[in-house]
Amino acid sequence: MKYKVPVGFTLAAIAFLTATPFREPILSPLVALADEIRSYGTNGSSGRNGRNGSDGDPGRSQTIRAEGMPLQVFAVGGDGRDAEDGYSGQSSTCSSQPRNVRYDLQAADGGRGGDGGRGGNGGNGGDVVLYYTDPSTLPLVYVDARGGDFGRGGRGARGGSGCRCRYRDWEVKVCNNGTCKTERYFCEDGEDGHYGRHGRDGDMGQPGQLWLVNQADTIPQGQPRQIQSLETFLRQPVALSRNLWDERSGARSLLASGSRIADTYKEYAGRVEGQAQIVWDAPRARTRFLATSPTANINRSGDVRIQFPEDIWVDGRSDRTEGLTTYTITNIVRANKVTRLALGLSSGQGRNYTIAVIDQASESDYLNTEFELRYRTSTASPNDRRRGRFVTRYDGKVPNRLVTRENNRFVLSLGQLPIDADYFDPGTMASVELSIRRSLGNNQATQTLKWQGEL
């Protein structure tokens, strides 16, 4: 049995510990506690982990027709590959054990075994699109679209062997000024490396799905989503279409006995079509935005919706006439230019105090802009400002009547707010925090500007 030495103790402190681990150790009066424990030998390296198994290939999807003759269709997914086992840990290198040293010894440990790899997943079965006109022909069609088998996980490898002490204890006689005593020391075997973990098996592939079409003519491919440049949407309508499918259960009961396919299936229920176009009616040049790529979608009801990328803010209106949905752009800005605001100069004092905000992107003609102010002043005297605390004098919206705009420069008449005019006098230590909300249509963003100092 091995004993673990608590922190602050050495192997010598448990020299005569009996086989019952809860009994007190008995120390000989001639036994000296060792000052340290030293290792010898070289620990073994850990084993390499096994490689994961590769996933199976998906089954080949197929389109077939039931024409009243027996038919076999195979769309089986490929099997996942087994993973590789881990590699064994290396055993420790056991050099010669030092003899008659005045310290305890710890032999080298073996390396940990490598983990087994994860098994590959089975490939999913392929989908089968089946056209028919007579339901009685379906039981003549046998379909095998099962998923592939999973790959087995690799086995964890064993760890390497630790070194074993050749001499488990020894005594050293030490004399000092004619007084001699015997010190006793011990050697602890190295530990064998732990086994690696076994790898997890892969997942079974899912069976393919049956898609039933009760007609002879082939249905065209649906295109329910179109991403085109704005220039394309402005030049001509973009066609959209969606094939409609109802989900049902009992696929295997429709086909030949023994067919292996997902029990739920899709049945063709018709088609919706529509067109999308964009009209420009914004008060700015369209050339700066032509590379933008809107997205048009058509849903099951045939409604068409046009969406713009997040980096573009658009306002406008949507109209639908005889299958054509038109979106008219009445305003447009780039999102990264919305919050390019900066504090400008302040001027005046008392009731005439104003502060400017500059629109560095020159987009203010196309945006709604609102201001909220948190204004604070220090209670300290002018000669002892650092010891004062700031007190809020105003916290709320700046009324539109106190905001004027000159091109891309906003002027806020803060002195006209319901605040004691003395708090805008020169020499006042003030803190200004402006929250500026800008919006266009359903888009909005807030930018905060801060300033603190002496007016």
Side-chain angles (χ1 to χ4, degrees):
M1 175 179 296
K2 289 186 178 181
Y3 296 94
K4 296 297 182 182
V5 183
V7 176
F9 287 80
T10 64
L11 293 175
I14 57 170
F16 297 97
L17 186 63
T18 65
T20 304
F22 298 103
R23 294 182 59 185
E24 293 290 333
I26 303 173
L27 299 178
S28 165
L30 294 180
V31 173
L33 295 178
D35 293 327
E36 59 181 325
I37 302 175
R38 296 187 186 180
S39 300
Y40 78 96
T42 303
N43 293 336
S45 300
S46 297
R48 182 168 63 83
N49 295 335
R51 287 189 291 267
N52 295 332
S54 57
D55 295 338
D57 295 328
R60 183 172 63 89
S61 295
Q62 301 177 50
T63 298
I64 59 174
R65 295 180 181 275
E67 297 177 338
M69 299 180 61
L71 181 64
Q72 291 184 333
V73 181
F74 295 95
V76 181
D79 294 338
R81 279 65 168 181
D82 292 341
E84 190 177 55
D85 293 339
Y87 290 77
S88 298
Q90 292 185 350
S91 296
S92 55
T93 302
C94 304
S95 57
S96 298
Q97 179 179 342
R99 294 295 311 277
N100 299 322
V101 293
R102 293 184 63 194
Y103 47 81
D104 293 324
L105 291 172
Q106 171 65 60
D109 298 329
R112 181 185 181 279
D115 297 336
R118 181 188 182 280
N121 297 325
N124 294 331
D127 290 344
V128 175
V129 180
L130 176 55
Y131 284 84
Y132 73 101
T133 55
D134 183 358
S136 66
T137 62
L138 296 180
L140 298 176
V141 179
Y142 172 81
V143 175
D144 187 354
R146 67 184 185 276
D149 199 2
F150 60 84
R152 307 288 178 179
R155 308 294 293 176
R158 66 178 300 168
S161 300
C163 289
R164 301 293 181 261
C165 299
R166 184 174 182 183
Y167 308 100
R168 298 194 175 278
D169 60 86
W170 58 95
E171 293 180 349
V172 178
K173 186 176 181 179
V174 180
C175 296
N176 185 16
N177 297 326
T179 301
C180 296
K181 62 179 181 179
T182 299
E183 296 176 349
R184 194 173 185 183
Y185 298 93
F186 299 87
C187 179
E188 175 93 0
D189 288 339
E191 292 187 352
D192 294 338
H194 295 293
Y195 264 88
R197 294 185 295 268
H198 297 323
R200 188 171 72 85
D201 292 341
D203 296 327
M204 194 77 177
Q206 298 298 310
Q209 190 170 54
L210 178 66
W211 301 69
L212 281 181
V213 183
N214 186 9
Q215 64 180 48
D217 297 333
T218 301
I219 59 175
Q221 183 72 30
Q223 201 162 28
R225 184 170 182 260
Q226 285 258 38
I227 301 176
Q228 300 288 346
S229 68
L230 177 60
E231 183 178 13
T232 299
F233 278 102
L234 290 170
R235 186 172 59 247
Q236 63 188 17
V238 174
L240 299 164
S241 61
R242 177 182 288 273
N243 293 326
L244 305 179
W245 302 88
D246 293 335
E247 185 171 279
R248 305 185 185 282
S249 60
R252 289 186 289 271
S253 66
L254 299 175
L255 304 174
S257 177
S259 291
R260 306 176 73 173
I261 198 165
D263 190 56
T264 60
Y265 67 97
K266 304 282 189 178
E267 186 169 23
Y268 182 64
R271 178 181 176 89
V272 292
E273 297 179 342
Q275 292 181 313
Q277 189 168 23
I278 296 176
V279 174
W280 188 272
D281 192 26
R284 59 192 316 177
R286 69 177 70 182
T287 54
R288 299 169 56 187
F289 301 91
L290 291 181
T292 299
S293 298
T295 301
N297 295 278
I298 186 170
N299 62 18
R300 288 182 59 91
S301 301
D303 295 328
V304 173
R305 183 181 180 188
I306 300 175
Q307 297 174 300
F308 292 85
E310 292 183 355
D311 61 348
I312 296 293
W313 284 14
V314 175
D315 192 18
R317 62 181 182 273
S318 182
D319 301 292
R320 181 179 179 181
T321 305
E322 297 181 353
L324 173 63
T325 297
T326 302
Y327 186 88
T328 302
I329 297 176
T330 58
N331 221 334
I332 183 170
V333 297
R334 295 193 180 277
N336 61 2
K337 293 189 174 184
V338 170
T339 53
R340 291 180 56 187
L341 301 167
L343 286 174
L345 297 176
S346 60
S347 63
Q349 65 182 68
R351 292 299 177 202
N352 296 320
Y353 181 81
T354 63
I355 192 170
V357 174
I358 309 301
D359 179 2
Q360 298 175 316
S362 302
E363 296 288 332
S364 294
D365 284 342
Y366 317 110
L367 293 164
N368 297 317
T369 306
E370 296 178 335
F371 297 87
E372 288 190 6
L373 169 69
R374 187 186 184 201
Y375 185 72
R376 299 181 299 154
T377 62
S378 174
T379 59
S381 62
N383 296 325
D384 193 21
R385 294 188 183 94
R386 287 183 296 179
R387 296 184 181 181
R389 62 184 180 88
F390 279 87
V391 176
T392 300
R393 308 300 180 184
Y394 185 85
D395 192 355
K397 183 178 178 180
V398 179
N400 292 335
R401 61 183 177 81
L402 300 183
V403 179
T404 58
R405 183 167 70 88
E406 303 166 358
N407 296 321
N408 295 305
R409 181 173 179 268
F410 294 90
V411 178
L412 282 64
S413 299
L414 302 187
Q416 298 296 314
L417 292 169
I419 306 174
D420 191 323
D422 293 343
Y423 295 132
F424 293 109
D425 286 345
T428 301
M429 284 294 294
S431 171
V432 175
E433 182 176 320
L434 277 173
S435 293
I436 308 168
R437 187 170 69 90
R438 314 199 84 184
S439 61
L440 176 63
N442 295 324
N443 303 286
Q444 67 176 31
T446 299
Q447 181 181 0
T448 300
L449 303 177
K450 296 180 180 180
W451 175 87
Q452 183 173 307
E454 182 177 317
L455 298 183

